Amino acid sequence: MKAAVMREVNQPLEIEEVDVASPGPREVLVRTGASGVCHSDLHFMEGLYSTPTPIILGHEAAGTIESVGELVDYVKPGDRVITCLSVFCGTCERCTEGRTVLCSRTGLTRNPNETPRLSQNGQEVMQFANLSSYAEQMLVHENAVVKIERDVPFEQLALIGCGATTGLGAALNTAAVRPGSTVAVIGCGGVGLNAIQGAALAGALRIIAIDAVETKLTLAQEFGATEVIDASGGDVVRKVRDLTNGGVDYSFEAIGKKETAEQSFHMLRAGGTATIIGMIPQGTKIELDGPSFLRERRIQGSSMGSNHFRTDMPQYVEFYLQGRLKLDELVSRRLGLEDINDAFEYMKEGSVARSVITF
């Protein structure tokens, strides 16, 4: 199969032929239909997060089951599925507590003495996030897919696989936004726009979108923001506090930077909660003013929207079909696999909500 392979940090991905193994007992082979290009992948390309190489990146995808292992009974060839990096074992402590997104993921990959899932000339090619979707096929554990029985295009389904689930879930699951509350979202890319949608679905009364790119602020209003702040003018915290008479109930940081993470905390009213969605680079320290905690302000992380993806994602599909969730508008560019490096350039320019690779 053709795949986009990362061999070195800060170098373009290379389109290469990669061998994919046959499914093991609890594995499924997926023919990739579409894959979104997520900022998380760029973090690894730029070395902000470390990973062994060579590796096939990509984790926001949907496709069709081609074949299944002998113990698989959840899906069959021909089924349409969304993949999710929150693959779960179902038996560890976190899974049995109902927090499958925090699964220990023991036993979900192949042992070193087994044939690797992906290889070239007998040498292993690493699998990213147990998925590797910048490829024509994905060989994954059966608990990394959810079956979708509704007729929705792959490019929209792919976005549910990460960006939509991460943003929506941060508002609906992690923070559990209350009806009538005030919300601020820092960063209006694909994830931030979905955090805005999640807050709107939860019944937030006011949703303030914050970004330095005018086109993204315009898009944020289409996705449910009631007010916008141009971050390029500075004094973001003061502007939010002035707009809300003291701060917001909930804030969401969807960029992954020290400065904006700190801003998300300082724009809270007493008793408010800041949720960090963005991937802050390894080694980065966040500094917060100690007395602020005396007013019961909280800051927390969110992993993939605290999802239960086999129940959440079908619900998001229904929201989309009912017209209550925007997905079409998120797709800024449709590209082929050979254009993958262009997709990352568009991302760095800030000119897209999401580029989608279609197969």
Side-chain angles (χ1 to χ4, degrees), residues 65-356:
I65 298 291
E66 285 203 330
S67 58
V68 304
E70 58 186 14
L71 298 181
V72 174
D73 59 9
Y74 172 63
V75 291
K76 64 184 184 304
D79 284 346
R80 293 157 56 83
V81 296
I82 301 173
T83 60
C84 185
L85 61 86
S86 299
V87 55
F88 60 92
C89 70
T91 59
C92 72
E93 181 180 7
R94 289 297 181 231
C95 281
T96 54
E97 287 176 344
R99 304 183 72 186
T100 54
V101 72
L102 301 179
C103 174
S104 66
R105 301 195 170 94
T106 303
L108 299 178
T109 58
R110 292 193 173 187
N111 296 322
N113 60 348
E114 294 182 280
T115 301
R117 287 175 177 170
L118 305 170
S119 63
Q120 285 179 317
N121 302 317
Q123 299 298 310
E124 183 174 11
V125 175
M126 306 306 295
Q127 188 174 41
F128 181 68
N130 296 302
L131 296 175
S132 289
S133 64
Y134 297 154
E136 292 176 323
Q137 294 172 303
M138 294 174 284
L139 180 60
V140 304
H141 193 278
E142 65 172 324
N143 286 355
V145 303
V146 54
K147 180 167 49 178
I148 300 297
E149 297 179 345
R150 303 284 269 161
D151 188 16
V152 175
F154 284 129
E155 58 193 50
Q156 280 77 19
L157 292 179
L159 298 186
I160 292 175
C162 177
T165 292
T166 299
L168 291 164
L172 296 170
N173 300 331
T174 313
V177 170
R178 299 188 313 272
S181 57
T182 56
V183 172
V185 178
I186 307 174
C188 299
V191 172
L193 290 172
N194 279 297
I196 289 169
Q197 293 202 93
L201 285 168
L205 184 64
R206 299 176 67 186
I207 305 171
I208 303 167
I210 304 165
D211 203 290
V213 180
E214 183 179 353
T215 54
K216 289 187 176 181
L217 292 175
T218 300
L219 198 56
Q221 291 176 298
E222 296 176 17
F223 277 70
T226 58
E227 294 139 284
V228 299
I229 292 175
D230 184 349
S232 64
D235 290 329
V236 168
V237 171
R238 180 186 61 79
K239 291 174 181 176
V240 170
R241 297 181 74 86
D242 286 348
L243 267 177
T244 56
N245 193 28
V248 294
D249 297 302
Y250 303 93
S251 64
F252 298 90
E253 196 277 354
I255 299 176
K257 292 183 177 180
K258 168 185 167 64
E259 177 187 7
T260 47
E262 292 168 353
Q263 289 173 348
S264 72
F265 181 78
H266 290 303
M267 64 180 58
L268 296 173
R269 64 183 300 183
T273 300
T275 300
I276 308 302
I277 312 172
M279 290 178 64
I280 297 171
Q282 290 174 319
T284 300
K285 303 293 190 295
I286 304 301
E287 299 175 273
L288 299 173
D289 181 33
S292 297
F293 290 98
L294 297 177
R295 299 291 288 161
E296 297 194 0
R297 296 181 177 91
R298 294 176 293 276
I299 187 166
Q300 63 182 352
S302 178
S303 177
M304 277 291 293
S306 305
N307 73 78
H308 300 84
F309 74 86
R310 282 196 174 167
T311 53
D312 291 350
M313 290 184 180
Q315 290 175 358
Y316 297 154
V317 169
E318 293 302 319
F319 278 136
Y320 167 71
L321 292 173
Q322 291 176 11
R324 299 164 66 189
L325 177 65
K326 293 181 182 294
L327 294 176
D328 301 346
E329 295 84 353
L330 284 171
V331 182
S332 303
R333 290 181 181 268
R334 296 167 177 83
L335 304 167
L337 183 62
E338 66 278 5
D339 304 314
I340 184 67
N341 293 304
D342 292 335
F344 284 108
E345 289 303 316
Y346 299 139
M347 180 188 296
K348 288 187 280 189
E349 292 169 3
S351 61
V352 295
R354 235 0 167 234
S355 293
V356 177

